[in-house]
Amino acid sequence: MTPGEHVSVAVVGGGPTGISAATLLAQYGIDTLVLDRWPQVYPQPRAVHLDDEVYRILARLGVADAFAAITRPAMGLRLVDRHQSVLAEFRRDTTPTCNGFPAANMFDQPALEELLRDNLTRLPKVRLRGETDVFAVTGGADGVELSVRDRVTGGESRITADYVLGCDGANSTVRSAIGTTMRSLRFAQRWLVIDVGCTRDLRQWEGVHQVCDSRRAGTYMRIGPNRYRWEFALAEQESVDDYATLAALRPLIAPWTRDIADADLQLLRVAEYTFRAQIADRWRLGRVFLLGDAAHLTPPFIGQGMGAGLRDALNLAWKIAGHHRAGLPASVLDSYEAERSRHTRQMISLALNVGRAMTAGGELGTLVRRLVVPRVHLLPGLREKITDSQTPPLPASAMVRRTVRTRRLAGRLCPNPVLATGRRLDEELGRGFGVLTTQPLDPDQQGIVDGRGARAVLAAPGTELACWLGHHRVTAALVRPDGTVMMAGRDLSALCRALPWFVFDSPAQTPANAECHE
């Protein structure tokens, strides 16, 4: 085995989670190497949905405009029975939310991955190496050693890194290497996934159709101008081989394609997936971390699987950069699992509840749904909760500090309005901490903010930021680099003193007036 090289961070796995983590680290100037066993993007479509919070991460990565060209907003959710009768419809506004983007967005995963990889090439501090197998990971007090094999030449070498991120999927080599196991949340269903191309418009309602039927649960979604997806639960005796042709699939997709000739339908993919709910019992060992499917598997009923991995990447990247280069304490790294594990478990639980509510219970369950679902809109606030894309707050940690007054605010994302500068708040704050306040900073407060690499934004009266602070009965909020509220309150000086040191080489920052463009 030949001697190797040293990098600050080695990312194992070049999917959306790994590429996103590498991009974020490179933006902080961290030398990063991505190792992937494949030479190019996996061509088959998988994930098809992300919400406005994850879209906000894409903007942070620098691909929001390019992503807008390959996505389409979804209009909401329609629940239908086995006969296609509408039980309930939950429409969603496709205009931007407080995060700055539509609440639900449909896309083709390979196209998104191509954007992410192309974007990665623009950064000087990161490299992507394909055709590389990682077959051993050994951690030590001062770093991690990877044993890798070139899949073309067969040559083996060693790479050492200060940190290793295991983004290598459900069958993660990194997870096995650190002795972590996946804990089942007692859910496994076999589903058929069908992707079809069609140049003719199917003339269907432009939202997600959920077939609420215990005998054959199903989902229909329009992904793009000429792409459609169906997902159907498989019976015990069925397999993907039973649906290998368009003729075999026709009975399943007929309710949506009755007027479409076979010649107009292109079968892009038919695959069998087992939808699982699992979460790792440990997400970290020393300097090795697990992200994405290596740490958790979420059933697709609420479209949060891929997004969870991007949330992991954003949560961890700034913490590694802060500890590695900006002097943040090691406890900040501990907060990664503390925050993301609980949040992910909550999202998995939500997905399971949605899936069971729509598909479980046999014939009795079907009858109950026919009676109950059409009356859901009569329950105060429930319709809004179904279409609300906001995810639960992060739990308390070293980087989320709650008080009785701010328990509903700390741990949540701050809004992302357009400011008087013409930029959104995320752009104005940059990649460091921020102080949002309705009060001008005095010289001492401004000195603390500037000295610790943060940015202050004054929320002018009547603006979205001022209204948001006022709604939560605070006058200031300390915002982390990932847009999460670390703490909030009425004592601006105390918040400034609580700012962590997070100083990188960057141009001097000055306060901005946060008057929004209405």
Side-chain angles (χ1 to χ4, degrees):
M1 185 177 291
T2 60
E5 61 192 294
H6 179 81
V7 293
S8 296
V9 181
V11 177
V12 183
T17 299
I19 296 297
S20 296
T23 302
L24 293 162
L25 288 164
Q27 289 175 343
Y28 282 115
I30 305 296
D31 179 33
T32 305
L33 175 64
V34 183
L35 303 169
D36 194 66
R37 71 188 319 263
W38 306 112
Q40 56 199 11
V41 167
Y42 183 70
Q44 295 293 347
R46 288 158 292 161
V48 295
H49 167 273
L50 57 81
D51 63 22
D52 52 327
E53 293 182 355
V54 179
Y55 205 147
R56 193 169 167 178
I57 298 175
L58 296 183
R60 171 70 174 268
L61 297 172
V63 300
D65 290 343
F67 180 68
I70 63 168
T71 187
R72 60 187 299 120
M75 292 183 62
L77 175 66
R78 174 178 282 179
L79 307 181
V80 301
D81 64 15
R82 66 181 59 149
H83 306 294
Q84 297 295 305
S85 297
V86 178
L87 301 175
E89 185 175 288
F90 305 94
R91 288 186 174 267
R92 176 180 276 132
D93 193 346
T94 57
T95 58
T97 69
C98 65
N99 285 306
F101 304 98
N105 306 275
M106 313 305 292
F107 66 97
D108 176 48
Q109 182 172 335
L112 172 59
E113 290 196 50
E114 291 287 0
L115 290 180
L116 292 173
R117 290 196 175 199
D118 181 64
N119 183 60
L120 195 71
T121 64
R122 301 186 177 98
L123 298 169
K125 283 288 187 175
V126 63
R127 292 162 292 147
L128 170 61
R129 185 178 300 168
E131 299 278 23
T132 303
D133 276 330
V134 176
F135 61 89
V137 181
T138 306
D142 299 324
V144 187
E145 182 178 279
L146 303 174
S147 298
V148 304
R149 179 182 298 112
D150 188 305
R151 300 183 73 226
V152 176
T153 66
E156 296 182 357
S157 61
R158 294 188 179 93
I159 297 171
T160 58
D162 297 316
Y163 308 92
V164 168
L165 309 189
C167 306
D168 49 342
N171 299 312
S172 171
T173 298
V174 177
R175 185 180 65 232
S176 297
I178 66 173
T180 291
T181 58
M182 294 292 269
R183 297 289 176 85
S184 173
L185 299 181
R186 297 186 298 279
F187 179 89
Q189 288 185 356
R190 295 166 55 247
W191 281 64
L192 189 71
V193 178
I194 307 159
D195 286 284
V196 169
C198 183
T199 56
R200 292 184 57 189
D201 193 330
L202 301 190
R203 297 193 299 276
Q204 299 293 327
W205 182 69
E206 293 289 318
V208 176
H209 301 203
Q210 177 64 50
V211 182
C212 301
D213 181 7
S214 56
R215 291 192 301 183
R216 177 77 81 185
T219 307
Y220 159 82
M221 298 165 281
R222 183 173 186 173
I223 308 305
N226 303 316
R227 269 204 54 223
Y228 302 86
R229 169 171 288 188
W230 288 267
E231 298 170 352
F232 294 101
L234 286 169
E236 184 176 350
Q237 72 279 8
E238 292 180 316
S239 76
V240 66
D241 295 334
D242 299 319
Y243 297 99
T245 66
L246 186 58
L249 290 169
R250 268 296 197 175
L252 295 180
I253 67 175
W256 298 272
T257 62
R258 293 191 191 280
D259 299 327
I260 307 297
D262 285 0
D264 294 320
L265 298 174
Q266 178 188 7
L267 191 56
L268 302 176
R269 180 186 66 150
V270 182
E272 179 181 326
Y273 280 91
T274 299
F275 295 163
R276 301 185 188 277
Q278 296 181 344
I279 192 164
D281 60 353
R282 184 179 61 200
W283 292 36
R284 176 192 179 192
L285 180 63
R287 293 168 175 259
V288 181
F289 299 82
L290 301 179
L291 298 81
D293 287 355
H296 45 75
L297 295 174
T298 305
F301 300 115
I302 56 173
Q304 289 288 337
M306 189 195 80
L310 268 65
R311 296 177 200 273
D312 295 344
L314 181 59
N315 187 288
L316 180 59
W318 71 266
K319 294 174 180 177
I320 287 179
H323 178 60
H324 189 65
R325 288 193 55 205
L328 292 185
S331 61
V332 171
L333 299 179
D334 297 332
S335 72
Y336 165 65
E337 179 177 349
E339 293 175 358
R340 289 298 304 137
S341 178
R342 179 174 171 183
H343 185 272
T344 302
R345 189 179 289 272
Q346 288 175 305
M347 298 305 293
I348 292 175
S349 178
L350 176 59
L352 291 178
N353 289 336
V354 169
R356 289 166 178 155
M358 293 179 178
T359 65
E363 291 301 316
L364 177 60
T366 299
L367 176 60
V368 170
R369 281 186 286 272
R370 288 189 61 83
L371 295 173
V372 173
V373 171
R375 294 168 175 78
V376 164
H377 70 282
L378 300 176
L379 299 177
L382 185 56
R383 174 177 289 273
E384 289 71 24
K385 286 187 177 296
I386 291 175
T387 57
D388 183 10
S389 61
Q390 180 176 253
T391 62
L394 298 178
S397 72
M399 289 287 107
V400 175
R401 303 177 189 175
R402 285 197 171 92
T403 64
V404 173
R405 177 186 292 276
T406 65
R407 65 182 182 276
R408 295 177 58 189
L409 182 57
R412 290 198 178 277
L413 280 175
C414 69
N416 186 30
V418 176
L419 308 180
T421 59
R423 304 197 299 174
R424 289 199 176 273
L425 177 64
D426 284 354
E427 298 175 271
E428 198 73 22
L429 292 179
R431 302 184 183 98
F433 282 81
V435 176
L436 312 181
T437 174
T438 58
Q439 311 166 16
L441 272 67
D442 65 31
D444 288 342
Q445 295 164 346
Q446 190 66 62
I448 294 173
V449 170
D450 292 343
R452 298 186 182 182
R455 179 113 188 210
V457 174
L458 178 63
T463 62
E464 184 175 339
L465 286 183
C467 293
W468 171 72
L469 291 168
H471 174 75
H472 291 284
R473 300 180 182 179
V474 298
T475 58
L478 177 54
V479 178
R480 309 184 330 182
D482 57 5
T484 300
V485 177
M486 177 177 167
M487 59 187 297
R490 293 180 175 275
D491 188 339
L492 181 56
S493 292
L495 261 65
C496 290
R497 290 193 299 272
L499 264 171
W501 292 89
F502 196 80
V503 181
F504 288 90
D505 295 332
S506 60
Q509 297 175 323
T510 56
N513 186 293
E515 183 175 359
C516 301
H517 292 279
E518 301 296 341

